[in-house]
Amino acid sequence: MKTALKWTGITLLAAAACSAVFGRKRLFRKRDAEKSGARDADTLDLIAQGIKLRAEDFNGLYEGLYQAAQNRTGLSPDAYEEWCGRVQQTDDPDFRRAFFSRFSKADTENESLCREKFALLLSCIDAAGIARERESMTVYTVDAAMQRAYFSADGEKLRIGAGYTVIKSAWLCGDKVIEYGMAVPGTISL
């Protein structure tokens, strides 16, 4: 009986020790995951700040990236690849390092991964405070803000109070136009 109690005690102690070890490993994994998540958030913040500081460097790519992300019938990675190319040309090594830790031209080799990267880059653009101004293929009555952010396809200045169909959305950072949009007078029938 003493031997059985002794072995039961030893077994319980061993079980408690194993539980403590596994619990500690689980705690370390949780801490590592939290640190990794914090590093990811820091990296994405650095990317967003880099985009905000260099918003004009990516002029002409915002709407193209957005449209590529929305297109579910085919993959069009041109704007994404051009983002990578333009980042490579920046003079900020911290921004480049952060950007290329999350994005790469090689991402375009896998369509589902590429679409995830489109969405992630668009979220970084949003975090930078850069937003798409109006929906394309929609008719708007021109106000002062639209007149400032859009050009007419025929080269004329938009007329306040007139109806125009947006054919390419503008992108703004606050009141600053980052990428001009384009509109045509009247309504377009599809």
Side-chain angles (χ1 to χ4, degrees):
M1 179 81 128
K2 284 185 179 181
T3 306
L5 286 174
K6 181 179 175 184
W7 283 110
T8 301
I10 291 172
T11 303
L12 288 174
L13 282 173
C18 286
S19 178
V21 168
F22 288 123
R24 190 164 200 180
K25 283 185 180 179
R26 196 174 303 131
L27 177 64
F28 285 133
R29 277 190 293 240
K30 183 179 177 186
R31 284 185 190 160
D32 288 346
E34 289 171 355
K35 286 180 186 176
S36 176
R39 280 192 303 269
D40 284 348
D42 290 345
T43 298
L44 294 175
D45 286 344
L46 185 57
I47 293 168
Q49 288 306 311
I51 290 170
K52 186 173 188 166
L53 289 172
R54 293 163 195 76
E56 291 84 12
D57 291 351
F58 306 105
N59 187 8
L61 301 180
Y62 295 96
E63 186 65 11
L65 180 68
Y66 177 85
Q67 291 300 328
Q70 298 304 307
N71 182 359
R72 295 293 174 202
T73 60
L75 184 65
S76 179
D78 295 347
Y80 178 80
E81 290 175 336
E82 184 63 23
W83 267 91
C84 292
R86 291 190 193 179
V87 170
Q88 186 62 45
Q89 295 174 18
T90 66
D91 60 358
D92 184 342
D94 292 333
F95 172 56
R96 280 196 315 267
R97 191 176 312 102
F99 186 90
F100 288 115
S101 75
R102 298 307 301 262
F103 303 104
S104 166
K105 285 184 182 182
D107 297 334
T108 62
E109 296 169 8
N110 176 319
E111 183 172 346
S112 63
L113 175 63
C114 189
R115 290 191 181 283
E116 288 175 22
K117 297 299 181 162
F118 287 174
L120 184 59
L121 183 51
L122 284 167
S123 74
C124 290
I125 293 166
D126 183 60
I130 300 169
R132 191 168 186 254
E133 204 268 332
R134 295 181 194 232
E135 199 58 44
S136 58
M137 302 314 292
T138 303
V139 178
Y140 294 94
T141 300
V142 177
D143 58 11
M146 186 173 176
Q147 186 182 49
R148 188 174 43 79
Y150 287 83
F151 290 107
S152 176
D154 61 8
E156 296 294 319
K157 187 175 183 177
L158 302 186
R159 291 181 323 274
I160 291 182
Y164 282 79
T165 300
V166 170
I167 57 174
K168 179 185 172 283
S169 297
W171 288 76
L172 306 176
C173 185
D175 288 336
K176 184 177 182 182
V177 178
I178 302 300
E179 184 172 292
Y180 285 91
M182 187 176 292
V184 293
T187 303
I188 296 177
S189 302
L190 295 179

